[in-house]
Amino acid sequence: MPSRSAVLTCAAAVTWALTGCAQPEAGAPRPVESPPTAPAAPEAPAPPPPRPEPPSTDVAECFDADCTLVVTGPLTIPLDAARFYYPEMTLVSVTPDALTYYVTYPDGGVAIRARLGPGGGGSFGSRGHATVQVKLDSLGDGTTVVVLTPAPR
């Protein structure tokens, strides 16, 4: 068993070490404190989605797949085949409940056939080409609004 003086010597050494660590020596440089950091700036809100083009009845405006088209019956929309692969999109049925369209291959034949209900959307594209997004914006009173938007490759 250690002697009482050894225990006291050890306790004094620990106390001295702890006290010595807590306060710097006289004349010793004080540690540099870093200034408080400012709170991070709030993130900027996301930009609003692009507004669709104003409604039109001119299918030629849809060649670049960036249009809002008012339709009342079947019609064919020419597309930029170099950009989208497909040369056209045909609206084959327009009713108060749905819109049915198909997309043809460049050499003929139906590549895609789709039916959209009110508020519905879809897309079509080919590998290596931009995609065309299709949205049925509104139906009613015999008028249909179809929104086409191009999407990157």
Side-chain angles (χ1 to χ4, degrees):
M1 178 180 231
S3 71
R4 184 175 176 171
S5 64
V7 170
L8 289 175
T9 303
C10 186
V14 168
T15 303
W16 175 82
L18 291 175
T19 305
C21 290
Q23 296 178 359
E25 292 181 25
R30 292 183 169 241
V32 177
E33 293 182 21
S34 31
T37 58
E43 290 186 31
R51 301 190 88 152
E53 296 291 321
S56 171
T57 57
D58 185 3
V59 295
E61 291 183 17
C62 295
F63 186 71
D64 63 353
D66 190 7
C67 66
T68 300
L69 191 63
V70 177
V71 295
T72 55
L75 59 89
T76 298
I77 301 169
L79 296 172
D80 182 356
R83 184 173 177 195
F84 304 110
Y85 181 71
Y86 301 105
E88 62 189 29
M89 169 186 179
T90 302
L91 307 180
V92 292
S93 175
V94 179
T95 70
D97 299 318
L99 167 75
T100 303
Y101 69 90
Y102 66 82
V103 180
T104 57
Y105 284 113
D107 296 329
V110 175
I112 297 145
R113 185 173 189 91
R115 181 173 187 208
L116 303 176
S123 64
F124 59 89
S126 181
R127 184 174 294 170
H129 293 83
T131 300
V132 177
Q133 296 175 334
V134 183
K135 181 176 184 240
L136 184 54
D137 204 26
S138 66
L139 283 171
D141 302 331
T143 303
T144 303
V145 177
V146 178
V147 179
L148 299 183
T149 52
R153 294 180 191 192

